[in-house]
Amino acid sequence: MTDHPTEAPRPATEPEHSPPKPPPLRRGRSYFVHYGEVGLKKGNRPYFETRLVRNLHYTLRGLRVMGIHRIYGRLRIDQELDGDRGELLRRLSRVHGVSHVLPIERFGWDLGPIEARLAEWAGEGGFESFAIRCRRIQKSYPHRSQDLMVRLGAIVGERSGARVDLRAPEVEFSVLILNREVILSRERISGPGGLPTGTAGRVLHMLSGGIDSPVAAERLLRRGCHLQFVHFHSSPFTDRSSIEKTTELANILTRHRMRSKLHLVPLGLLQQRIVQDAPARWRVMLYRRSMLRIAARIAGWNQCKALGSGENLAQVASQTLENLAVLDETVALPLLRPLLSYDKEEIVEEARRIGTYEVSTEPHADCCGYLLPRRPVTDGTVEEVREIEAALDLSEELEEVHSRTEVVTLPDLDREPPGEE
Ligand code: ATP
Ligand code: MG
């Protein structure tokens, strides 16, 4: 598509009526951002909209955006002509709360320039069927929607040689009549939907470097949570590969979306104690309960109201219903497990879609793989684990681990996301 300045066009012919003056437009490009679920929240709508606008300002930094305006239940973004259009659309398609985006062109009420532009688009060809959709929000506009559709459809049909298909057209031209202007569009880019980040509170998410936890993070982001991340590693007993991977994953999840933090916790010392002094079958559960305790403390320092994880019912020994119950009672904070009922294929598909799969499948030294027992406990009870923990007394190691925790600030925009040069 050729970029078209949205300067108010001069009427080609004398109008037969006296339309309102078109608004004074600066040279630039415009986009409509539609938000699905945000629009449904009646009383809270201004709160969600304000948050979405704020998030969009953050996301679109550096792309020469002139303004973001609320109009008719959608947002209009205006961008300078020399701003990067492709990058703007790419970023918008990742903003939670956005259902879809339309690049638009703005005209006055006069039909001449509108017909000329549609004829130009039709002349570019490349489609065999099309539909024209007209909506008249301003009812005093002198042409009825139905008449407009017929009139404009005839022009497009004649110019392109394509047929009208109202049910499944290859291209959809939309014409929206507003108070002082007419909006044309022919392209629609899907967004992720959901709710704007930050509207559902702050969560500390446990990121392991595997496939599941980044997908779980995306699900929480989609419900409006603001995330910080925590990763447990066994360095210096293992290499730093899991740290590298997790930083990369956290960067993909936050890039152009929000500022955040990744807490890197060295669990090795504590794991050594568990391996030495606790029954082997309980090792993984003891690692996990320690992780939760540490995470809860970091959450407290960072005003996070819940912990998130990629746990999935019955996926592995530590995720049987009995063991999940043993994990649940470790800390008072709610544990959010958005993938609890997913199939692995569904998770993998989503990981590919959000761009984390490739990084997640690179090999890394997993801290829970550290001296794994041959037969881990699958039906643990709270009484048993409490007894083992009381005998162990890990309080010293827990303090040590906290004092050695590092914090990385996100996102790191200098890190190229995978697949982009
Ligand atoms: P995989 O795709 O290998 O299953 P996973 O991330 O789901 O990766 P699991 O062993 O199933 O790993 O762990 C369940 C959940 O526990 C993870 O999704 C993650 O939220 C949390 N977790 C496990 N290990 C770690 C770790 N080293 N650091 C932070 N969180 C972890
Ligand atoms: Mg898993």
Side-chain angles (χ1 to χ4, degrees):
M1 169 179 157
T2 49
D3 286 315
H4 187 72
T6 56
E7 212 176 30
R10 288 255 188 82
T13 51
E14 275 301 304
E16 321 120 28
H17 47 83
S18 46
K21 267 187 150 175
L25 303 176
R26 290 169 63 188
R27 278 176 70 83
R29 286 189 211 105
S30 295
Y31 311 83
F32 270 166
V33 172
H34 289 251
Y35 33 93
E37 202 171 339
V38 180
L40 299 178
K41 306 246 165 208
K42 285 203 180 105
N44 291 333
R45 190 176 167 138
Y47 167 69
F48 285 90
E49 282 177 341
T50 305
R51 192 69 201 216
L52 181 59
V53 170
R54 205 167 106 193
N55 293 352
L56 287 172
H57 276 295
Y58 173 76
T59 298
L60 302 177
R61 277 175 321 162
L63 297 179
R64 307 192 68 89
V65 166
M66 295 183 277
I68 302 179
H69 313 272
R70 292 183 215 193
I71 56 161
Y72 300 99
R74 37 177 96 62
L75 301 174
R76 194 190 72 227
I77 297 179
D78 296 331
Q79 183 188 30
E80 306 262 6
L81 273 182
D82 55 358
D84 186 336
R85 177 183 188 273
E87 177 64 13
L88 180 133
L89 291 175
R90 209 178 60 75
R91 288 193 202 169
L92 281 181
S93 71
R94 295 188 66 232
V95 175
H96 291 104
V98 170
S99 71
H100 62 273
V101 182
L102 306 175
I104 58 165
E105 293 187 10
R106 305 170 65 191
F107 295 83
W109 265 21
D110 189 38
L111 267 183
I114 296 168
E115 290 178 333
R117 187 66 178 131
L118 277 171
E120 205 177 318
W121 277 348
E124 289 171 17
F127 57 94
E128 300 205 333
S129 64
F130 72 96
I132 309 254
R133 314 257 188 231
C134 284
R135 223 181 123 206
R136 203 167 50 144
I137 289 184
Q138 176 51 265
K139 302 291 182 210
S140 65
Y141 189 67
H143 306 280
R144 292 200 357 239
S145 303
Q146 187 59 35
D147 300 340
L148 267 180
M149 282 193 260
V150 172
R151 179 166 167 173
L152 301 176
I155 294 173
V156 174
E158 192 180 307
R159 258 313 185 81
S160 63
R163 69 192 150 76
V164 173
D165 180 348
L166 295 180
R167 291 182 60 198
E170 268 176 58
V171 178
E172 201 170 291
F173 298 96
S174 104
V175 182
L176 183 70
I177 316 288
L178 299 181
N179 207 356
R180 296 161 75 194
E181 58 181 333
V182 177
I183 305 290
L184 284 192
S185 67
R186 61 166 169 172
E187 204 185 341
R188 183 187 164 113
I189 294 101
S190 296
L195 297 169
T197 301
T199 52
R202 201 183 272 214
V203 172
L204 181 65
H205 189 71
M206 301 176 55
L207 206 54
S208 67
I211 298 170
D212 302 342
S213 47
V215 174
E218 179 75 17
R219 290 268 129 191
L220 292 174
L221 287 168
R222 215 173 148 218
R223 293 314 300 162
C225 296
H226 184 284
L227 299 186
Q228 286 198 12
F229 303 91
V230 59
H231 173 65
F232 300 90
H233 60 86
S234 305
S235 169
F237 303 104
T238 58
D239 62 25
R240 288 179 68 89
S241 56
S242 79
I243 296 179
E244 190 46 42
K245 269 182 79 170
T246 311
T247 311
E248 186 87 51
L249 289 168
N251 210 43
I252 297 173
L253 290 163
T254 51
R255 199 179 162 80
H256 300 304
R257 285 177 165 174
M258 60 183 178
R259 284 190 200 89
S260 184
K261 285 183 197 167
L262 167 64
H263 306 266
L264 295 169
V265 184
L267 208 65
L269 269 182
L270 199 141
Q271 290 179 297
Q272 266 194 329
R273 256 308 301 290
I274 292 173
V275 169
Q276 256 171 38
D277 298 336
R281 307 176 57 220
W282 277 93
R283 273 178 203 158
V284 178
M285 290 300 284
L286 293 169
Y287 300 160
R288 288 285 158 96
R289 281 172 61 98
S290 306
M291 287 184 189
L292 289 172
R293 290 199 175 95
I294 297 164
R297 197 143 136 195
I298 297 175
W301 292 334
N302 290 279
Q303 293 81 44
C304 297
K305 296 182 197 132
L307 301 178
S309 93
E311 282 166 327
N312 182 252
L313 189 56
Q315 191 187 67
V316 288
S318 61
Q319 292 164 31
T320 60
L321 206 46
E322 289 82 354
N323 282 351
L324 289 180
V326 171
L327 296 180
D328 271 343
E329 76 89 49
T330 317
V331 291
L333 284 181
L335 302 182
L336 307 181
R337 300 176 169 122
L339 303 188
L340 195 75
S341 64
Y342 276 48
D343 288 344
K344 193 73 185 186
E345 295 88 79
E346 291 173 295
I347 300 174
V348 165
E349 193 182 309
E350 182 142 340
R352 288 190 200 278
R353 198 176 54 70
I354 64 172
T356 53
Y357 183 78
E358 274 176 21
V359 180
S360 286
T361 46
E362 284 163 18
H364 72 280
D366 172 15
C367 85
C368 278
Y370 184 78
L371 297 179
L372 266 185
R374 283 247 294 289
R375 298 186 54 200
V377 66
T378 52
D379 57 351
T381 64
V382 174
E383 292 70 33
E384 272 177 284
V385 79
R386 280 196 187 149
E387 213 173 288
I388 297 167
E389 282 174 346
L392 257 183
D393 185 14
L394 294 169
S395 46
E396 223 174 272
E397 285 79 4
L398 283 173
E399 288 312 315
E400 180 75 17
V401 161
H402 274 297
S403 69
R404 295 192 189 191
T405 295
E406 299 164 68
V407 183
V408 175
T409 312
L410 298 165
D412 177 359
L413 292 178
D414 293 333
R415 243 173 210 264
E416 287 295 336
E420 284 175 38
E421 297 306 313

